[in-house]
Amino acid sequence: MNRQFNLLWAGQTVSNAGDRVTLFVVPALLIFALHASPFQVGLISTAQYLAIPVLSLVAGVLADRWDLRRLLIACDLLRLLAVAAIPLAYWQGRLSLPLLFACVVVISAATVFFNIGYVPALTHIVPAERLVAGNSRLETSRMTAEVSGPALGSGLYQLLGAASLLVDAASYLFSALCIRAMQPLGRLGGQTGSLRERLLVGIRANWRDPVLRRCTAGTLLANIGGPVFVTQLPVLAYNGWGLSVGAFGTVMTVGAAGAVAGALVAPAVSRRLGPARTMSWAMPAHSACGLGVLAMGIPGMGTAAPAVILAVTLAAYMFFFAWYNICSQSVRQARMPIADQAVIYAAYRTVTWGVIPVSAFIGGLAVTLLSHSLDIRTAVTATMLAGTVIGLSAFIPLSPVQPMLEREYVPA
């Protein structure tokens, strides 16, 4: 990979680790410093996702028109200030729920702009035939941060308290400096047309192109079913099977390790099968692994069985999910013209990510309703299996993508 990519990768690797510190420390501050209620904790968590459906389309249009390197640097610096404001307010005795909510919203908004802006930036600096390898390295860094994040965040919080958030602030500074060292990217997109016209370009491209349309439909189904499974996983672990916090933390770490392993082998699998075929099989394999929770009901397996089964299930679940993330991103990036990538990706992200909080809410509601007539273990397991079935259905729109690409390819 070239120097441009290595700088971007280094910055993302460090900032991903910093993000995991903040994800651990903010709930701890909410509970121990502000004595927040469960509803208030949920409200702050919701703030992390608000910007995705609200800002993604606009961010795509603006990313087309702005200098991409400056945009990415500005997003990093804005996140630095928002994160650093939290411990500063805490030390001055001014930290409050509204202030914390505002900081999280700013971080979320800047992250939306950054994530949409770096998609065309990556396509600009990495040749098409190396996109799978580039996305694999970025995904490996992200998943490695998932593995080490809980331990890093816990250790820093016990050592530094609120000051541990300054580690995340410093990681954004490092990322900004790495991007500053890159060569100018300029404005890669189209600057003409009104806001409405550019929004329609992104929406229509995802619908009219048969490959992008099927990728969007498949990911939408995955993001309807997946959050139902993932958000109810702690309920099953704690309330259904009585796992301790330490045991469930180990389960999550093993699951994240599975994702790292998946990201490492995805390029080799993609070279053998093709990225689109790998993508189409990875999603049903990922969802099918969720059926592993059924093994937890086998009698006579001992008290350690639920933790072991859950860890293996989650590791396999995340292993194939890493394949899907890497290959689907690469298929879409190669398909989209650079001039319109930001706005096309923004429209895709608005649809496929905007459904996540709705899906998570419906999953929780389903468990609540079912628990009136079923025990909590059965209610949660049934709901998670329903999410698994929805995820499996993603194979229907995704399976024809590789044959479509092969029919379009004409050898020279």
Side-chain angles (χ1 to χ4, degrees), residues 133-227:
N135 283 314
S136 175
R137 295 187 186 189
L138 289 166
E139 185 73 6
T140 301
S141 294
R142 187 174 73 84
M143 290 304 173
T144 301
E146 293 276 3
V147 174
S148 59
L152 178 63
S154 175
L156 287 173
Y157 183 72
Q158 293 180 66
L159 182 65
L160 302 174
S164 55
L165 289 173
L166 296 179
V167 173
D168 192 16
S171 75
Y172 288 130
L173 178 60
F174 179 82
S175 176
L177 291 174
C178 286
I179 296 170
R180 179 66 181 82
M182 295 171 61
Q183 296 176 3
L185 297 172
R187 296 175 177 83
L188 304 183
Q191 297 85 34
T192 60
S194 65
L195 176 64
R196 179 178 177 275
E197 289 170 342
R198 294 298 297 158
L199 292 176
L200 289 175
V201 166
I203 295 170
R204 287 170 178 167
N206 281 286
W207 176 253
R208 290 177 175 174
D209 186 290
V211 171
L212 295 182
R213 183 171 66 248
R214 289 182 174 275
C215 286
T216 301
T219 306
L220 178 62
L221 288 170
N223 284 351
I224 291 173

Side-chain angles (χ1 to χ4, degrees), residues 204-251:
R204 287 170 178 167
N206 281 286
W207 176 253
R208 290 177 175 174
D209 186 290
V211 171
L212 295 182
R213 183 171 66 248
R214 289 182 174 275
C215 286
T216 301
T219 306
L220 178 62
L221 288 170
N223 284 351
I224 291 173
V228 173
F229 184 94
V230 173
T231 57
Q232 294 306 311
L233 194 60
V235 180
L236 180 65
Y238 294 138
N239 298 340
W241 291 99
L243 296 187
S244 67
V245 174
F248 186 60
T250 302
V251 167

